[in-house]
Amino acid sequence: AALPAQTACGTGSEVLLQAFNWESCREPGGWWNRLSAEAGDFAKAGFTAVWLPPCTDSVSPEGYLPQDLYNLDSKFGSTTELKALVGQLRGLGMLPVADAVLNHRCASGRDERGAWNQFGGRLDWDAHAIVSDDPNFSGRGGRSSGENFHAAPNIDHGQDFVKRDLSEWLLWLKEEVGFQGLRMDYVKGFAGHHVGDYVRSTEPAFSAGLPVERLQEHFGPRAARGLDRQRGSCCRERGSCRLLLH
């Protein structure tokens, strides 16, 4: 079915399904295969967008500690199964939404001082990709523009090579894998103008970040204003307006 014309904030009438939970990575037979078996029911129920969990190689099975961004074999299933699912959702007239963890990335090796800041895979960054005020990973980039996440190296989005590499990766998810929507995790970790840059560089049909209200309540007005300035390029994720698949 043909999808309606959309901006990065969608049509305004999306019905978004959060198609996973914290245990989905442990699904016998693989989560992508389960969703594929139920995709027709999602469409019949009236869902117009399906938010999938982070699909990359990850230190944590749930996907929120990404490592090799171009490796899409995960605890949810294989690259082939993911692409088949994304194509199926599109064929049923639903927007497949990628969950992109941009704030942080796990290294695959240590430097000469023992700090985990050497990255592997296609994006083989070093300590210059990590913010300098992250106390755990000896970063050599600039200072963070948001709240640090202490379980993994916080990425410096002010570095030109980081912005270029992540923008190209997001575009690859769109053009090579088939994702049409974008949900960005932990946007309190970097400034709102970076969020806007990623959305504008990849032009997803739909994009969302954390709710401004939650940012204001828990992390103060600075974080809330950062995302709010991107109004028109990125929507606010509201937990009351989505359904969770168990």
Side-chain angles (χ1 to χ4, degrees):
L3 293 170
Q6 293 171 310
T7 67
C9 285
T11 64
S13 59
E14 282 77 13
V15 182
L16 175 66
L17 171 67
Q18 180 181 336
F20 63 99
N21 58 56
W22 205 242
E23 299 298 319
S24 298
C25 56
R26 298 169 179 83
E27 176 73 14
W31 192 246
W32 303 145
N33 287 333
R34 175 178 169 181
L35 293 182
S36 181
E38 300 183 11
D41 293 333
F42 302 159
K44 291 177 183 177
F47 291 106
T48 62
V50 180
W51 167 16
L52 301 181
C55 60
T56 69
D57 167 53
S58 172
V59 171
S60 64
E62 298 85 6
Y64 286 97
L65 292 177
Q67 191 168 48
D68 184 354
L69 297 184
Y70 280 94
N71 180 0
L72 301 184
D73 291 327
S74 69
K75 294 297 183 181
F76 301 103
S78 69
T79 301
T80 300
E81 292 164 347
L82 171 64
K83 288 184 176 181
L85 171 62
V86 168
Q88 182 183 13
L89 295 173
R90 292 183 59 158
L92 290 167
M94 294 181 287
L95 282 169
V97 179
D99 196 334
V101 184
L102 304 179
N103 175 74
H104 50 273
R105 180 186 171 202
C106 291
S108 56
R110 300 174 187 254
D111 66 7
E112 65 278 1
R113 295 173 292 177
W116 287 92
N117 56 28
Q118 304 298 299
F119 300 90
R122 184 165 162 180
L123 304 183
D124 54 349
W125 301 336
D126 60 14
H128 292 90
I130 303 173
V131 297
S132 60
D133 52 336
D134 184 335
N136 300 316
F137 301 100
S138 300
R140 298 180 182 177
R143 291 185 61 82
S144 176
S145 59
E147 301 282 341
N148 280 339
F149 177 76
H150 296 295
N154 289 260
I155 301 305
D156 178 12
H157 297 271
Q159 296 277 27
D160 289 342
F161 73 90
V162 168
K163 184 69 65 69
R164 180 197 67 234
D165 286 351
L166 290 181
S167 295
E168 289 177 354
W169 173 67
L170 290 171
L171 195 59
W172 178 79
L173 287 179
K174 176 182 177 181
E175 296 181 345
E176 297 296 324
V177 184
F179 281 107
Q180 295 172 294
L182 174 64
R183 183 265 181 182
M184 285 164 284
D185 182 63
Y186 208 82
V187 293
K188 68 172 182 173
F190 49 102
H193 67 85
H194 295 307
V195 175
D197 288 344
Y198 290 124
V199 172
R200 284 185 288 270
S201 67
T202 54
E203 297 184 332
F206 172 85
S207 62
L210 288 174
V212 170
E213 293 82 0
R214 192 181 306 168
L215 289 171
Q216 174 74 37
E217 177 182 354
H218 294 291
F219 309 110
R222 175 188 173 197
R225 287 194 301 269
L227 186 58
D228 201 38
R229 280 195 294 269
Q230 302 312 310
R231 191 174 298 174
S233 65
C234 184
C235 299
R236 308 167 186 179
E237 176 192 319
R238 299 181 186 274
S240 61
C241 295
R242 65 173 188 260
L243 294 181
L244 174 66
L245 178 64
H246 290 282

